[in-house]
């Protein structure tokens, strides 16, 4: 399982998305316990990154 991202500027959405995909591959799509928590953290980070990228593009 991956470690949380370091404090600092947000990571690009594509980087976070790849980490989500890797997590899903590692678990075979089954999310429970700490794996589920990690997924939800990554999902929230991805949403924030997408919002930031959309705001920057607008």
């Amino acid at each position: 399982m991956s470690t949380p991202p370091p404090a600092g500027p947000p990571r690009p959405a594509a980087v976070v998305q790849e980490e989500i995909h890797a997590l899903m591959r590692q678990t075979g799509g089954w999310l429970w316990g700490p794996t589920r928590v990690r997924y939800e953290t990554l999902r929230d980070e991805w949403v924030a990154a997408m919002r930031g990228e959309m705001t920057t593009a607008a």
Side-chain angles (χ1 to χ4, degrees), residues 19-53:
E19 193 167 336
I20 291 170
H21 288 183
L23 179 65
M24 296 301 284
R25 284 190 300 272
Q26 291 169 2
T27 64
W30 292 95
L31 302 172
W32 65 92
T35 306
R36 179 68 171 186
V37 171
R38 181 68 184 140
Y39 166 77
E40 290 172 357
T41 300
L42 287 169
R43 179 200 59 208
D44 294 346
E45 183 183 357
W46 179 81
V47 168
M50 287 298 293
R51 285 185 181 141
E53 290 175 13

